[in-house]
Amino acid sequence: MPIILRANYYKVNAVPDWALCLYRVDFSPDEERTFVKKELLRQHASVLGNYIFDGNQLYVARLLPQDPLELTSKRHDTGDPYLVKIRFIKEIPASDTLFLQIFSILLRRCYEYLGLTQVGRNYYNSHEEVQNQKYRVAIWPGNVSSIRQHENGILMRFVTGKQLLGLVVMTRYNQRTYRVDDIAWNLTAISKFSCQGQEITYLDYYEKTYQVKIKDPYQPLLLSKPRKRDLRRGQGNIYLIPELCVPTGLSDDMRSDYNLMRDFSEYTRMSPDKRVASLRRFNTRLFENQKVKAELKQWGLDFSQVLTNVRGRVLPGEMVMQSSHSFVYQSSEPDWGKDIKDVPVNVAQNVTNWVLVVPGRLRKEAEELMAGLKKIGRALGITFNNPSLQLLQQDTAQDYIRALRNCSAVMLVVCILPNARLDRYAAVKKHVSAIMGTPSQMVLAKSMQNKARQVSILQKIALQINCKLGGEIWNLQIPFQNTMVVGYDTYHDSARKGASWGAVVASFNKNLTRYYGQVLRHANQEELTANFCTAIQNSLCHYAEVNGCLPERVLVYRDGVGEGQLAYVKGTEIAAIKACFAANQFSPRFSFIVVSKRINTRLFAQGSRSGNPINPPPGTVCDDVITLPERYDFYLVSQRVTQGTVTPTSYNILEDVNSNLDADRHQRLAYKLTYLYYNWMGPVRVPAPCLYAHKLAYITGQAIHDVPHQELCDKLWYL
């Protein structure tokens, strides 16, 4: 069905028809603060004329009278003299992609006219901060924007809302952000360092340079290590005064605090109508500002003040089949839980030989769990025999593991845990997953104590156990034969700095519901690519072993790829996979799709009754206007969102060799796959293989820190 959408993009109505001249600007003595360098250069506006300056490079609309051009400036606050040297680099025609970067710099200048504060790459309105005294947190309204060439012209994208920054610190004196890597206990504010050939204490440096007096001279310093690009410029470690820093973002403890995150959602989750209203307010504030209007006029730029209209389509709801029961998912419903309540699963795995490990003081909860699983299992067609009950005197990780060492040849381990302590969970999970090679289910005691939700919790546990043992809950109509879909994602190892885990899951049945999963640790891109290809080859071998033939079609859905990594993925990962196919004299129909969910594009539909902006329904596809001309890409809204504005998922098809799949089929298949994630009774945001790969990489990097047992490869043990 066709649908008219609006996107958070504004059309660039007019662009300049002249060329830009690019110059490099150096200061003597050296100056790091961009706002000071801009102040020093601003003193020569009459000589430079209309210009853009980002702190290092200068863009002007004409050649300057001399090359190099040397000018002298003075600091307004201290009177210190500076020599400003401007050297010509090149001329940039309007057809150059760098031209769009100039627009972005110009836009940042306009933000400064509005008094916005730059933190990292984005801009925030500190004057409209929201204070939360309960948690001692301040939230700043933020803005993210970009300008680039899209299908039919140049568009500017805006995202507004309350933004929570990453976990870094911001320095009060210049509002720059730094990642804290360590604490330099051996250094204090009275320690000395070399500055312009002289030794000076940090205390004196900050007072002289920033006019800031440090109250505690003996506080240890924070260490921020340079990034790779900073190392290439010769920059060393950066030491910060804790007193002059404020933390930004949320810690892991804060993110795990349900009440805190619920309170924050009031500010961070904006409904579609409020988000559109916010975009309009910011647009009006920006383009009605007299300084901004004058600036844009000088540069020959004009922006639309109306959100871009986009034609989209709504794919039909999918037929979900569970045993003899089938239904079409209606997007008006949050999920299909009520449709499959007490309906037998497609493929049941009877639980005949299992062990239940529980502290003795939680025996009542254990008995309720056993009785509940038997009752729920009968409705789902799953038989639960009585388990071997292991009662613990204490509830330490060592007590659980000692009990499990006495259990051999069991098909399932279930543990009731008194609380959600990660160290105990990780130790037990590692033992059963890496050493025993047995699927396991961890149950919190409070879940069994929640009488109001006990039945729904027991149903979810029974369904998870069935999947972990190799069962199938529901399926969809999949039109393809002999097809293998692959999901790939990575997750950093929380216990080993610099190491990551790459997880590959690959389907090996017709319904695309059973997956062969592998996870390997890597330290760099080369190891990642090698492991990826090895996992693909192992997956093909497993597929052939199960089905008696290799798949005719292979589709890889790759998550966790940033904008700057696309060229690497295409030139290295895809090339390596194709080389793997060739080495095995195998030439399948091959597609490689990059899936991105952390994007700033937003889509809005129009409410049929109110006329106000609402979230598009699940199945909404957009593949025109806001997509990119150099890509084979589309946006898909697959999930139903009841709070805030839905974020579409971006699909970028990097490779499509003899697939015989047009755009519609790619879109339909992606939407079908969002129905096949068994931990949620409804479509999810990304294809199921991507989410399975994420779960596998996450549990390995967060808890297990080891390669899982080979016996678990063909099971969804990580749900």
Side-chain angles (χ1 to χ4, degrees):
M1 293 176 58
I3 185 173
I4 299 298
L5 305 167
R6 281 181 291 173
N8 58 328
Y9 290 77
Y10 294 94
K11 185 179 180 182
V12 180
N13 292 329
V15 296
D17 57 358
W18 34 256
L20 283 173
C21 296
L22 172 61
Y23 287 82
R24 175 181 173 82
V25 183
D26 295 298
F27 295 84
S28 181
D30 289 338
E31 177 58 58
E32 294 182 358
R33 293 163 294 172
T34 299
F35 76 94
V36 174
K37 291 191 281 188
K38 288 183 176 181
E39 173 203 311
L40 296 172
L41 197 65
R42 199 177 297 124
Q43 298 171 24
H44 306 288
S46 59
V47 177
L48 302 175
N50 202 35
Y51 70 87
I52 292 176
F53 179 55
D54 65 359
N56 293 302
Q57 295 181 325
L58 173 72
Y59 303 90
V60 294
R62 59 182 177 83
L63 288 171
L64 297 178
Q66 298 176 19
D67 182 37
L69 177 62
E70 295 188 353
L71 304 168
T72 56
S73 302
K74 285 187 177 181
R75 284 272 301 272
H76 288 311
D77 50 356
T78 64
D80 293 342
Y82 282 81
L83 176 65
V84 183
K85 191 171 184 179
I86 305 174
R87 292 177 295 176
F88 177 77
I89 298 178
K90 65 178 180 178
E91 191 173 284
I92 305 169
S95 59
D96 197 304
T97 55
L98 188 59
F99 222 82
L100 296 179
Q101 297 178 28
I102 309 306
F103 292 171
S104 297
I105 295 171
L106 178 60
L107 190 61
R108 291 201 293 271
R109 176 187 289 184
C110 293
Y111 290 163
E112 292 173 4
Y113 289 149
L114 298 184
L116 302 183
T117 301
Q118 184 177 6
V119 181
R121 296 182 177 182
N122 302 322
Y123 282 79
Y124 299 84
N125 189 348
S126 59
H127 304 293
E128 294 184 7
E129 77 174 18
V130 177
Q131 290 279 352
N132 188 306
Q133 297 299 334
K134 180 179 178 181
Y135 300 105
R136 300 183 66 191
V137 168
I139 303 176
W140 289 2
N143 177 76
V144 181
S145 63
S146 66
I147 301 179
R148 65 190 306 172
Q149 178 71 43
H150 290 265
E151 297 289 358
N152 301 325
I154 298 174
L155 299 176
M156 174 176 62
R157 180 179 61 201
F158 273 147
V159 182
T160 62
K162 303 294 189 300
Q163 302 279 335
L164 296 173
L165 309 182
L167 190 58
V168 293
V169 296
M170 181 177 69
T171 47
R172 297 176 184 271
Y173 45 87
N174 61 359
Q175 294 183 322
R176 290 185 63 182
T177 55
Y178 300 88
R179 183 187 68 247
V180 177
D181 297 298
D182 204 349
I183 298 177
W185 297 101
N186 60 326
L187 297 176
T188 67
I190 58 174
S191 299
K192 291 186 177 182
F193 70 102
S194 178
C195 178
Q196 298 179 4
Q198 296 183 340
E199 294 291 311
I200 187 172
T201 66
Y202 290 95
L203 189 123
D204 293 337
Y205 170 80
Y206 280 98
E207 184 169 4
K208 177 182 177 181
T209 308
Y210 298 104
Q211 294 74 55
V212 173
K213 289 188 177 182
I214 296 173
K215 296 177 183 178
D216 181 2
Y218 299 104
Q219 57 191 298
L221 305 187
L222 304 178
L223 168 62
S224 178
K225 295 181 180 179
R227 297 178 177 87
K228 289 183 179 179
R229 62 183 180 184
D230 297 326
L231 283 171
R232 290 194 292 266
R233 293 197 302 237
Q235 181 175 310
N237 292 337
I238 298 172
Y239 295 95
L240 306 169
I241 307 295
E243 178 186 311
L244 306 180
C245 300
V246 291
T248 70
L250 300 174
S251 66
D252 290 339
D253 289 340
M254 294 170 74
R255 292 182 188 278
S256 62
D257 187 329
Y258 172 79
N259 293 324
L260 179 147
M261 298 306 294
R262 182 193 59 197
D263 290 350
F264 279 4
S265 67
E266 176 186 346
Y267 309 112
T268 58
R269 292 180 182 173
M270 299 175 66
S271 61
D273 55 339
K274 290 183 179 180
R275 189 172 292 275
V276 169
S278 175
L279 286 167
R280 287 171 174 164
R281 284 197 304 271
F282 185 80
N283 185 293
T284 301
R285 183 184 171 206
L286 178 64
F287 295 121
E288 293 302 318
N289 181 281
Q290 294 303 314
K291 289 185 177 180
V292 172
K293 290 171 72 173
E295 186 77 32
L296 295 179
K297 184 177 180 180
Q298 288 179 345
W299 289 93
L301 281 172
D302 178 48
F303 291 89
S304 169
Q305 291 186 254
V306 179
L307 288 172
T308 297
N309 279 349
V310 185
R311 294 183 65 87
R313 299 183 306 284
V314 181
L315 302 177
E318 293 290 340
M319 176 75 73
V320 179
M321 295 171 285
Q322 183 164 322
S323 189
S324 59
H325 181 65
S326 63
F327 59 92
V328 176
Y329 168 65
Q330 301 296 328
S331 61
S332 58
E333 297 293 331
D335 57 49
W336 56 67
K338 67 177 185 179
D339 291 294
I340 60 172
K341 185 179 180 182
D342 300 332
V343 176
V345 298
N346 281 356
V347 179
Q349 295 290 337
N350 294 325
V351 187
T352 56
N353 178 23
W354 59 297
V355 60
L356 175 57
V357 185
V358 56
R361 60 188 173 86
L362 296 175
R363 180 162 190 158
K364 180 182 176 183
E365 286 79 356
E367 291 172 349
E368 289 182 349
L369 177 65
M370 290 186 289
L373 288 178
K374 280 188 175 183
K375 182 178 179 180
I376 294 290
R378 283 194 293 270
L380 297 174
I382 306 170
T383 299
F384 281 89
N385 287 355
N386 289 327
S388 168
L389 185 61
Q390 299 284 328
L391 295 176
L392 308 177
Q393 293 184 351
Q394 302 294 328
D395 58 15
T396 67
Q398 290 72 22
D399 290 303
Y400 281 90
I401 292 172
R402 272 195 295 269
L404 290 171
R405 285 183 180 138
N406 299 325
C407 305
S408 59
V410 293
M411 64 186 300
L412 174 71
V413 170
V414 178
C415 297
I416 298 182
L417 306 177
N419 54 48
R421 277 181 49 184
L422 179 61
D423 57 343
R424 175 173 45 216
Y425 170 87
V428 177
K429 203 72 174 177
K430 180 175 182 177
H431 182 80
V432 295
S433 304
I435 298 174
M436 294 178 63
T438 305
S440 61
Q441 181 73 37
M442 305 294 150
V443 180
L444 286 177
K446 68 177 182 180
S447 297
M448 299 309 303
Q449 295 160 0
N450 187 341
K451 303 304 180 183
R453 298 188 60 245
Q454 192 181 81
V455 173
S456 62
I457 290 172
L458 283 167
Q459 183 186 49
K460 185 172 183 180
I461 291 173
L463 291 174
Q464 279 191 333
I465 288 174
N466 190 62
C467 293
K468 291 178 178 182
L469 296 177
E472 176 183 287
I473 307 178
W474 62 75
N475 70 291
L476 268 63
Q477 294 175 335
I478 302 296
F480 305 125
Q481 300 290 329
N482 300 329
T483 295
M484 184 173 83
V485 295
V486 178
Y488 183 81
D489 202 358
T490 60
Y491 190 83
H492 296 298
D493 192 318
S494 62
R496 294 180 178 87
K497 192 171 183 179
S500 296
W501 292 91
V504 176
V505 302
S507 66
F508 58 89
N509 68 334
K510 180 184 182 301
N511 290 339
L512 309 183
T513 56
R514 297 203 62 193
Y515 288 86
Y516 185 77
Q518 303 158 84
V519 59
L520 291 169
R521 188 170 62 235
H522 60 265
N524 51 50
Q525 289 279 9
E526 289 73 20
E527 289 183 12
L528 181 151
T529 302
N531 292 344
F532 194 179
C533 293
T534 300
I536 293 285
Q537 183 156 349
N538 293 341
S539 299
L540 291 170
C541 292
H542 183 77
Y543 186 99
E545 183 180 332
V546 172
N547 297 282
C549 64
L550 287 171
E552 297 174 3
R553 185 190 307 274
V554 176
L555 296 102
V556 177
Y557 291 89
R558 170 76 153 92
D559 206 345
V561 178
E563 182 82 13
Q565 297 175 294
L566 290 176
Y568 176 87
V569 169
K570 188 172 180 63
T572 307
E573 291 184 10
I574 294 177
I577 292 173
K578 292 167 76 173
C580 170
F581 291 161
N584 290 276
Q585 297 181 336
F586 176 49
S587 55
R589 300 181 186 274
F590 175 51
S591 300
F592 192 103
I593 303 101
V594 169
V595 180
S596 303
K597 53 187 180 292
R598 293 185 180 90
I599 61 175
N600 291 318
T601 294
R602 301 291 184 271
L603 296 173
F604 310 97
Q606 183 172 321
S608 57
R609 296 181 181 177
S610 64
N612 293 329
I614 61 173
N615 283 321
T620 298
V621 170
C622 176
D623 59 6
D624 196 11
V625 182
I626 61 173
T627 48
L628 299 175
E630 73 274 12
R631 295 184 185 174
Y632 182 9
D633 61 338
F634 62 91
Y635 294 98
L636 171 63
V637 175
S638 53
Q639 62 181 155
R640 180 176 182 266
V641 171
T642 57
Q643 291 183 323
T645 303
V646 68
T647 301
T649 300
S650 169
Y651 292 80
N652 184 11
I653 304 172
L654 292 187
E655 187 75 24
D656 203 35
V657 179
N658 301 322
S659 72
N660 197 30
L661 295 180
D662 56 19
D664 289 333
R665 287 193 173 95
H666 267 298
Q667 293 159 9
R668 284 293 300 272
L669 179 60
Y671 188 42
K672 282 177 180 290
L673 289 172
T674 65
Y675 279 67
L676 293 175
Y677 179 64
Y678 285 147
N679 232 3
W680 178 251
M681 296 177 184
V684 291
R685 192 172 170 188
V686 297
C690 284
L691 205 43
Y692 286 138
H694 171 75
K695 291 283 288 187
L696 176 54
Y698 173 81
I699 196 172
T700 306
Q702 187 70 17
I704 299 174
H705 312 294
D706 202 353
V707 177
H709 199 284
Q710 183 67 24
E711 289 294 320
L712 296 175
C713 284
D714 62 348
K715 299 177 179 65
L716 299 176
W717 62 271
Y718 38 84
L719 274 188

